[in-house]
Amino acid sequence: MIDDDMMRRLYPPERLAAVREAVADEGLGAVLLTPGPDLRYVSGYDAHALERLTCLAVPAEGGPFLVVPRLELPAAQASPAGRLGLEFVPWEETEDPYALVAARLPGTGAVAVADQMWAAMVLRLRDAMPGVRQVAAGGVMRRLRMRKSTAEVEALREAGAAIDRVHAMVPGFLRPGRTEREVGRDIAEAILAEGHVSVDFVIVGSGPNGASPHHELSDRVIEAGDPVVVDIGGTMPSGYCSDSTRTYAVGAPPAEFQEYYGVLLEAQEAAVRAVRPGVTPEAVDAAARDLIAKAGYGEYFVHRTGHGIGLQTHEDPYIVAGNTEPLEPGMAFSVEPGIYPGAHGARIEDIVVCTEDGAERMNATSRELIVVEA
């Protein structure tokens, strides 16, 4: 559970004013948010995605309002949204909720619709407001969500500690003769036991499966000498996510693996050291990538160095070549270089937050290769 004080700090009423200001700055009439991370960020309401329309409208002029099915009204009012002073507009089963939204907004200009709004809802809103141009809400929301508040960083720190506790259990799950699926089942149970409300993903890539960064759990039997990549994450009661990767070895790993694992460890440390305000994401990516390439493993580093994290596991900013938007204090993202030659692979991942003068890691478990007795 999350206490009421933390909930108030995570979802403060000032968010609505910030969104309204951003809507006006973009020259839009309103932003329309249906169930998903943007709605939760603004209001604290973790609404179910249903065929019945739930839609928060934040106009540039006039007060915000939440159109909600009558049967969902108690849940909406009981959520942090009930403390924000916004107007609730319940609708009955025989009413047209899209018409309710349209009637309260200007009939011309442009509105922003949530990036993850269902296509059917986008089209129904378009039909209800034929004189209004629709744009993606990402332009309004990404700048607000990228820079985390003190409370959000606290929530990410809690998530990081929870997933660290799970990684501390992983050596006890790994042994020759067990399948990846069996190990994954134990990890999933531990993720929930350590405070998450949902398991978002469990990757257990043993031997050659470790060379597939997004490997799915399989019935491959773990063998002595196998490197094993374990990438795991979940969502906490706060709504904020964890994500951390550690690489293990069941018994003594191959010599060539140990050689490139040392390179990877150095690259991950270099990328974290590169994080500070004003540095670009592509420079952080290069700090890891250039070192790996210099050691001769560049072709085996096949993905970006990181992704933002918060109410979603993957969100802005992305730590990748071409992203030149300078880092700012409060931006949170993964630093996770990997090397995947084929016979095996390795990745090291921490969540970090850009601070006023560097970076704070949200994960504290050892990044050294963890050798489990076979």
Side-chain angles (χ1 to χ4, degrees):
M1 294 293 292
I2 181 170
D3 65 61
D4 192 61
D5 176 66
M6 182 62 169
M7 192 66 77
R8 289 176 183 273
R9 291 190 295 118
L10 276 175
Y11 303 109
E14 293 81 11
R15 287 261 173 85
L16 280 170
V19 173
R20 181 177 177 178
E21 181 178 346
V23 167
D25 288 346
E26 293 288 329
L28 300 169
V31 64
L32 305 178
L33 305 177
T34 46
D38 284 339
L39 175 62
R40 188 167 189 179
Y41 175 80
V42 176
S43 70
Y45 182 29
D46 185 22
H48 295 295
L50 303 169
E51 75 282 2
R52 297 180 175 93
L53 181 69
T54 293
C55 182
L56 173 65
V58 184
E61 297 182 6
F65 58 93
L66 181 68
V67 172
V68 59
R70 171 73 67 180
L71 74 167
E72 300 293 333
L73 181 60
Q77 292 174 324
S79 78
R83 298 193 291 253
L84 300 182
L86 60 85
E87 181 186 1
F88 289 87
V89 183
W91 60 274
E92 306 293 348
E93 294 283 13
T94 56
E95 290 185 284
D96 180 356
Y98 300 91
L100 289 177
V101 174
R104 290 167 169 262
L105 297 175
T108 59
V111 298
V113 297
D115 288 10
Q116 296 184 20
M117 185 182 292
W118 290 358
M121 293 179 175
V122 172
L123 295 174
R124 290 285 300 276
L125 286 167
R126 185 191 65 183
D127 290 344
M129 297 183 288
V132 174
R133 180 171 57 91
Q134 293 177 336
V135 300
V140 173
M141 298 304 303
R142 67 181 298 274
R143 289 297 307 165
L144 297 173
R145 287 181 54 189
M146 265 202 303
R147 188 165 180 170
K148 269 57 179 181
S149 67
T150 300
E152 289 179 284
V153 173
E154 185 179 335
L156 287 170
R157 195 178 290 122
E158 181 184 24
I163 209 68
D164 281 356
R165 294 193 295 271
V166 179
H167 268 297
M169 300 178 192
V170 169
F173 302 148
L174 292 171
R175 58 180 179 271
R178 300 200 77 199
T179 67
E180 294 173 350
R181 200 177 309 280
E182 289 170 336
V183 173
R185 188 180 305 119
D186 289 341
I187 290 173
E189 291 176 357
I191 288 173
L192 296 175
E194 291 304 320
H196 296 78
V197 294
S198 67
V199 178
D200 295 340
F201 55 91
V202 175
I203 295 173
V204 179
S206 63
N209 291 338
S212 175
H214 285 176
H215 171 66
E216 296 286 340
L217 293 174
S218 78
D219 292 320
R220 183 184 185 276
V221 175
I222 296 169
E223 302 174 359
D226 274 348
V228 184
V229 178
V230 176
D231 183 357
I232 54 178
T235 300
M236 298 291 286
S238 63
Y240 286 76
C241 300
S242 66
D243 184 4
S244 179
T245 307
R246 294 293 184 260
T247 301
Y248 302 82
V250 180
E256 65 270 21
F257 172 85
Q258 296 186 64
E259 181 176 341
Y260 73 73
Y261 190 87
V263 173
L264 180 64
L265 180 60
E266 185 179 353
Q268 205 262 357
E269 295 283 353
V272 173
R273 286 196 304 270
V275 175
R276 62 183 181 277
V279 169
T280 62
E282 72 173 5
V284 176
D285 179 88
R289 196 170 302 277
D290 291 352
L291 197 153
I292 290 171
K294 185 177 180 181
Y297 299 103
E299 66 181 296
Y300 305 124
F301 182 10
V302 296
H303 55 73
R304 64 196 173 204
T305 293
H307 55 81
I309 191 169
L311 289 169
Q312 292 173 277
T313 306
H314 285 196
E315 59 183 50
D316 287 304
Y318 292 98
I319 311 304
V320 64
N323 187 352
T324 59
E325 187 172 15
L327 296 176
E328 299 176 26
M331 289 184 176
F333 46 88
S334 66
V335 176
E336 51 175 309
I339 298 176
Y340 313 96
H344 30 63
R347 181 163 65 257
I348 304 170
E349 176 184 19
D350 290 321
I351 300 304
V352 304
V353 174
C354 182
T355 65
E356 294 292 340
D357 56 4
E360 177 189 354
R361 295 183 194 258
M362 300 291 102
N363 302 103
T365 56
S366 175
R367 286 162 287 280
E368 298 287 342
L369 179 64
I370 302 166
V371 179
V372 181
E373 186 174 342

